[in-house]
Amino acid sequence: MSANDVIAEDMVVSIHYTLTLDDGNAVDSSRGREPLLYLHGAQNIVPGLEKELAGKKAGESFDVAVSPEEGYGPRMEGVEQKVPKDVMPDELEIEVGMPLSAHGPDGQTMTVWVTEVEDEHVLIDPNHPLAGKTLNFAIEVVEMRAASAEELEHGHPHGPGGHQH
Ligand code: ZN
């Protein structure tokens, strides 16, 4: 790879990011830890951010506001469900904000989030906690390299910062 390379399909890219919501609240950042590693073109990251990263070079920094439609999707209303605690595994320490695996109406696996914990029940919501929000990213492209055949097959990066398996 040379200094003139730009981000394109089938490259493993590492970025530093800070994610801020419109209320000014910084909800997530890679600063102070290892950069995030992702496989470009494999939908490892939200579509609006992946689109903006295409064509960028190592060392470049930029800001982008990603709409909910190109982020975690619009927020669906009235889809929260009350679930009795006794159907949850005993060993599970349930907390607000925790993602859980559930089975959807057609038996497919889906992720839901705990939004409220009561004495006998928990409220679960299939909306991602960032659904319906504009995502303001501050990005720095750290480096990039060609993906290996195995990474392309798996659809994610391997090695430090990637999947270890
Ligand atoms: Zn893998």
Side-chain angles (χ1 to χ4, degrees):
M1 300 259 125
S2 79
N4 293 323
D5 283 326
V6 298
I7 297 174
E9 300 268 305
D10 301 345
M11 287 172 112
V12 170
V13 183
S14 65
I15 57 172
H16 270 302
Y17 68 94
T18 297
L19 169 57
T20 307
L21 301 182
D22 282 345
D23 60 10
N25 193 15
V27 290
D28 194 13
S29 179
S30 65
R31 295 289 174 186
R33 55 178 204 246
E34 289 298 305
L36 173 78
L37 209 58
Y38 81 97
L39 175 59
H40 194 84
Q43 291 151 12
N44 293 171
I45 57 175
V46 295
L49 180 56
E50 186 165 60
K51 203 197 277 182
E52 200 66 22
L53 277 156
K56 296 287 196 288
K57 294 179 180 175
E60 263 189 83
S61 295
F62 64 94
D63 293 334
V64 57
V66 173
S67 68
E69 288 68 31
E70 293 195 306
Y72 291 100
R75 176 162 289 274
M76 302 170 281
E77 298 300 334
V79 291
E80 275 192 329
Q81 279 188 40
K82 217 171 176 177
V83 178
K85 258 187 185 167
D86 56 18
V87 306
M88 306 274 177
D90 282 343
E91 66 279 7
L92 198 64
E93 189 69 44
I94 299 164
E95 288 170 20
V96 170
M98 176 187 268
L100 297 172
S101 253
H103 292 288
D106 304 317
Q108 78 277 29
T109 304
M110 53 187 283
T111 304
V112 298
W113 282 265
V114 176
T115 54
E116 222 175 293
V117 180
E118 299 164 12
D119 286 345
E120 302 289 325
H121 296 86
V122 297
L123 278 180
I124 57 168
D125 188 345
N127 285 301
H128 187 282
L130 294 173
K133 311 234 191 240
T134 297
L135 311 171
N136 302 295
F137 286 104
I139 300 292
E140 180 196 342
V141 180
V142 179
E143 56 183 4
M144 64 191 90
R145 61 170 169 82
S148 70
E150 194 188 40
E151 287 173 323
L152 291 176
E153 195 183 314
H154 289 197
H156 55 227
H158 291 161
H163 281 243
Q164 318 274 353
H165 63 136

